[in-house]
Amino acid sequence: MISVIIPVYNASRYVDRVVQCVQLQTFHDWELILVDDGSKDESGQVCDMHADKDSRICVIHQSNKGASAARRVGIEKARGEYLIFIDCDDIVEDDYIERLYSCLTELGDESLRIAACDMINHGEDESPIVDKSTTSRIMESDEIQRRFFNYEFWGFWGKIYHRSVFENVYFPEYTINEDYVVMAQLFHNCRRMVYLPICLYHYIRHEESLSHQKLSKRMFDEYYNKQWVRDYYAQNNCRYLRHAEAQLIETCVKLVICALKDDKAGVYDDVVKPMQTYLRKNLVSILFNSHLKTGLKMVCLTLL
């Protein structure tokens, strides 16, 4: 009934834990697809070991293409009517699948094809208490869009999807904020979803995460993905175009500042210069964009 898809890359120390999270689920009609995305550590072997022990587990090995491509391959392989995604270094509550599946299917409304829960953002040594007494409700398009652009519901994780929602959806080649690109399309196509305001997903922060890494070419993937979403809203949903523009501007400012600080040799000028040009050409729009904080607008002025 449900396919659980987990991209794995250089995460050998987390695979046992996340597989156990799935095996301990109170909902039992699932298959688990582990996509080894060209790991250079023992992740692939650990995945294979679990597949040898549990026939419900399938492993796909591929060259490194990024989490977005790994999820797309998992979707193609999946046999379930519904799909759930978990990042390999995160954990979920034992009734994560059951609660999401139930709140989506019990309403009997076939137009509802996505259900989402809340997540807890914490370090590995934190174990918050989860209150599971809250009931689900239907969230309409305006609330979904507002909260999406408030950095909520960005990730693949924390949701269950009917597999049909991924038909004709573009998965980006750029590997930072790729979730943002896909979720923008899903929330445009699915104007309603079920929302369960319970923290069933645990997002684990790590010191080796991207937010702690130095400037690199890959970091500019975020700019390209934010640019894609801005263009997508310009063509499909102008009502929230200013929100998408605000997200793009925030990314431009962040990356330009990083480059000015760390890229003394101008290695990334071919990307940084167009971002500065974009900020300069859209200065008036930036100053009157109500979705940008005043402090960020002032920073824009110093970068031109």
Side-chain angles (χ1 to χ4, degrees), residues 244-297:
E245 288 176 341
Q247 298 276 341
L248 176 60
I249 291 162
E250 288 177 4
T251 294
C252 287
V253 170
K254 176 180 69 176
L255 291 174
V256 169
I257 289 174
C258 288
L260 293 176
K261 177 182 176 182
D262 299 332
D263 185 24
K264 303 303 181 183
V267 175
Y268 301 111
D269 279 356
D270 59 328
V271 185
V272 174
K273 296 298 184 183
M275 285 193 285
Q276 289 178 302
T277 300
Y278 172 76
L279 294 175
R280 188 179 303 112
K281 287 184 176 180
N282 292 276
L283 180 58
V284 174
S285 177
I286 290 170
L287 295 177
F288 286 94
N289 192 321
S290 61
H291 306 292
L292 290 168
K293 294 181 180 180
T294 301
L296 189 137
K297 295 177 182 179

Side-chain angles (χ1 to χ4, degrees), residues 115-172:
C117 67
D118 283 335
M119 68 94 174
I120 298 174
N121 188 333
H122 59 84
E124 292 183 82
D125 57 346
E126 300 174 10
S127 300
I129 298 174
V130 177
D131 179 8
K132 299 183 180 180
S133 59
T134 310
T135 57
S136 63
R137 64 179 177 85
I138 295 177
M139 185 180 291
E140 303 292 344
S141 181
D142 279 348
E143 184 181 359
I144 293 172
Q145 294 291 342
R146 287 196 305 271
R147 295 183 65 168
F148 174 63
F149 284 112
N150 192 39
Y151 298 95
E152 299 179 65
F153 311 122
W154 267 38
F156 278 95
W157 35 259
K159 303 175 188 70
I160 187 171
Y161 311 83
H162 191 275
R163 66 177 302 130
S164 62
V165 304
F166 290 101
E167 295 175 3
N168 302 315
V169 168
Y170 166 70
F171 282 75

